[in-house]
PDB file of all heavy atoms in Angstrom:
ATOM      1  N   PRO A 521      -7.247   6.300   6.736  1.00  0.00           N
ATOM      2  CA  PRO A 521      -6.146   6.785   7.575  1.00  0.00           C
ATOM      3  C   PRO A 521      -5.873   8.304   7.643  1.00  0.00           C
ATOM      4  O   PRO A 521      -4.860   8.867   7.203  1.00  0.00           O
ATOM      5  CB  PRO A 521      -4.892   6.241   6.813  1.00  0.00           C
ATOM      6  CG  PRO A 521      -5.394   6.155   5.366  1.00  0.00           C
ATOM      7  CD  PRO A 521      -6.813   5.922   5.379  1.00  0.00           C
ATOM      8  N   HIS A 522      -6.886   8.828   8.288  1.00  0.00           N
ATOM      9  CA  HIS A 522      -6.748  10.446   8.500  1.00  0.00           C
ATOM     10  C   HIS A 522      -6.390  11.218   7.166  1.00  0.00           C
ATOM     11  O   HIS A 522      -5.545  11.914   7.112  1.00  0.00           O
ATOM     12  CB  HIS A 522      -5.727  10.753   9.579  1.00  0.00           C
ATOM     13  CG  HIS A 522      -5.928  11.970  10.399  1.00  0.00           C
ATOM     14  ND1 HIS A 522      -5.728  12.342  11.576  1.00  0.00           N
ATOM     15  CD2 HIS A 522      -6.394  13.266   9.791  1.00  0.00           C
ATOM     16  CE1 HIS A 522      -5.956  13.525  11.888  1.00  0.00           C
ATOM     17  NE2 HIS A 522      -6.256  14.134  10.754  1.00  0.00           N
ATOM     18  N   ILE A 523      -7.368  10.957   6.239  1.00  0.00           N
ATOM     19  CA  ILE A 523      -7.101  11.576   4.835  1.00  0.00           C
ATOM     20  C   ILE A 523      -8.271  12.431   4.523  1.00  0.00           C
ATOM     21  O   ILE A 523      -8.319  12.877   3.310  1.00  0.00           O
ATOM     22  CB  ILE A 523      -6.826  10.454   3.852  1.00  0.00           C
ATOM     23  CG1 ILE A 523      -8.128   9.475   3.819  1.00  0.00           C
ATOM     24  CG2 ILE A 523      -5.579   9.758   4.019  1.00  0.00           C
ATOM     25  CD1 ILE A 523      -8.104   8.417   2.766  1.00  0.00           C
ATOM     26  N   SER A 524      -9.009  12.751   5.282  1.00  0.00           N
ATOM     27  CA  SER A 524     -10.263  13.718   4.991  1.00  0.00           C
ATOM     28  C   SER A 524      -9.943  14.805   4.202  1.00  0.00           C
ATOM     29  O   SER A 524     -10.590  15.217   3.217  1.00  0.00           O
ATOM     30  CB  SER A 524     -10.985  14.144   6.283  1.00  0.00           C
ATOM     31  OG  SER A 524     -11.708  13.124   6.860  1.00  0.00           O
ATOM     32  N   ALA A 525      -8.907  15.596   4.654  1.00  0.00           N
ATOM     33  CA  ALA A 525      -8.516  16.846   3.884  1.00  0.00           C
ATOM     34  C   ALA A 525      -7.256  16.582   3.014  1.00  0.00           C
ATOM     35  O   ALA A 525      -6.646  17.443   2.606  1.00  0.00           O
ATOM     36  CB  ALA A 525      -8.232  17.911   4.816  1.00  0.00           C
ATOM     37  N   GLY A 526      -6.890  15.267   2.720  1.00  0.00           N
ATOM     38  CA  GLY A 526      -5.674  14.976   2.103  1.00  0.00           C
ATOM     39  C   GLY A 526      -5.790  14.742   0.601  1.00  0.00           C
ATOM     40  O   GLY A 526      -5.236  13.863  -0.012  1.00  0.00           O
ATOM     41  N   THR A 527      -6.631  15.601  -0.032  1.00  0.00           N
ATOM     42  CA  THR A 527      -6.733  15.400  -1.527  1.00  0.00           C
ATOM     43  C   THR A 527      -5.674  16.505  -2.170  1.00  0.00           C
ATOM     44  O   THR A 527      -5.330  17.404  -1.574  1.00  0.00           O
ATOM     45  CB  THR A 527      -8.062  15.856  -2.049  1.00  0.00           C
ATOM     46  OG1 THR A 527      -8.315  17.202  -1.599  1.00  0.00           O
ATOM     47  CG2 THR A 527      -9.209  15.001  -1.426  1.00  0.00           C
ATOM     48  N   ARG A 528      -5.495  16.175  -3.433  1.00  0.00           N
ATOM     49  CA  ARG A 528      -4.494  17.064  -4.247  1.00  0.00           C
ATOM     50  C   ARG A 528      -5.213  18.489  -4.320  1.00  0.00           C
ATOM     51  O   ARG A 528      -4.513  19.504  -4.231  1.00  0.00           O
ATOM     52  CB  ARG A 528      -4.380  16.415  -5.604  1.00  0.00           C
ATOM     53  CG  ARG A 528      -3.254  17.041  -6.457  1.00  0.00           C
ATOM     54  CD  ARG A 528      -3.104  16.318  -7.680  1.00  0.00           C
ATOM     55  NE  ARG A 528      -4.197  16.373  -8.476  1.00  0.00           N
ATOM     56  CZ  ARG A 528      -4.465  15.626  -9.676  1.00  0.00           C
ATOM     57  NH1 ARG A 528      -3.424  14.714  -9.970  1.00  0.00           N
ATOM     58  NH2 ARG A 528      -5.483  15.660 -10.338  1.00  0.00           N
ATOM     59  N   ASP A 529      -6.571  18.393  -4.558  1.00  0.00           N
ATOM     60  CA  ASP A 529      -7.212  19.706  -4.694  1.00  0.00           C
ATOM     61  C   ASP A 529      -7.114  20.482  -3.396  1.00  0.00           C
ATOM     62  O   ASP A 529      -6.884  21.725  -3.438  1.00  0.00           O
ATOM     63  CB  ASP A 529      -8.725  19.336  -4.949  1.00  0.00           C
ATOM     64  CG  ASP A 529      -8.934  18.417  -6.063  1.00  0.00           C
ATOM     65  OD1 ASP A 529      -8.726  18.824  -7.173  1.00  0.00           O
ATOM     66  OD2 ASP A 529      -9.217  17.262  -5.848  1.00  0.00           O
ATOM     67  N   ALA A 530      -7.291  19.834  -2.199  1.00  0.00           N
ATOM     68  CA  ALA A 530      -7.256  20.619  -0.836  1.00  0.00           C
ATOM     69  C   ALA A 530      -5.785  21.161  -0.774  1.00  0.00           C
ATOM     70  O   ALA A 530      -5.570  22.263  -0.402  1.00  0.00           O
ATOM     71  CB  ALA A 530      -7.552  19.697   0.237  1.00  0.00           C
ATOM     72  N   MET A 531      -4.877  20.307  -1.155  1.00  0.00           N
ATOM     73  CA  MET A 531      -3.386  20.658  -0.954  1.00  0.00           C
ATOM     74  C   MET A 531      -2.974  21.891  -1.769  1.00  0.00           C
ATOM     75  O   MET A 531      -2.404  22.788  -1.257  1.00  0.00           O
ATOM     76  CB  MET A 531      -2.561  19.362  -1.331  1.00  0.00           C
ATOM     77  CG  MET A 531      -1.166  19.619  -0.904  1.00  0.00           C
ATOM     78  SD  MET A 531      -0.966  19.533   0.978  1.00  0.00           S
ATOM     79  CE  MET A 531       0.869  19.731   1.062  1.00  0.00           C
ATOM     80  N   ARG A 532      -3.458  21.935  -3.050  1.00  0.00           N
ATOM     81  CA  ARG A 532      -3.283  23.102  -3.812  1.00  0.00           C
ATOM     82  C   ARG A 532      -3.936  24.322  -3.199  1.00  0.00           C
ATOM     83  O   ARG A 532      -3.280  25.427  -3.194  1.00  0.00           O
ATOM     84  CB  ARG A 532      -3.944  22.853  -5.246  1.00  0.00           C
ATOM     85  CG  ARG A 532      -3.082  21.954  -6.009  1.00  0.00           C
ATOM     86  CD  ARG A 532      -3.193  22.072  -7.507  1.00  0.00           C
ATOM     87  NE  ARG A 532      -2.348  21.201  -8.331  1.00  0.00           N
ATOM     88  CZ  ARG A 532      -2.790  20.248  -9.046  1.00  0.00           C
ATOM     89  NH1 ARG A 532      -4.046  20.039  -9.387  1.00  0.00           N
ATOM     90  NH2 ARG A 532      -1.807  19.469  -9.738  1.00  0.00           N
TER      91      ARG A 532
END
Side-chain angles (χ1 to χ4, degrees):
H522 202 142
I523 53 169
S524 288
T527 61
R528 188 175 64 189
D529 309 285
M531 192 70 183
R532 284 203 175 119

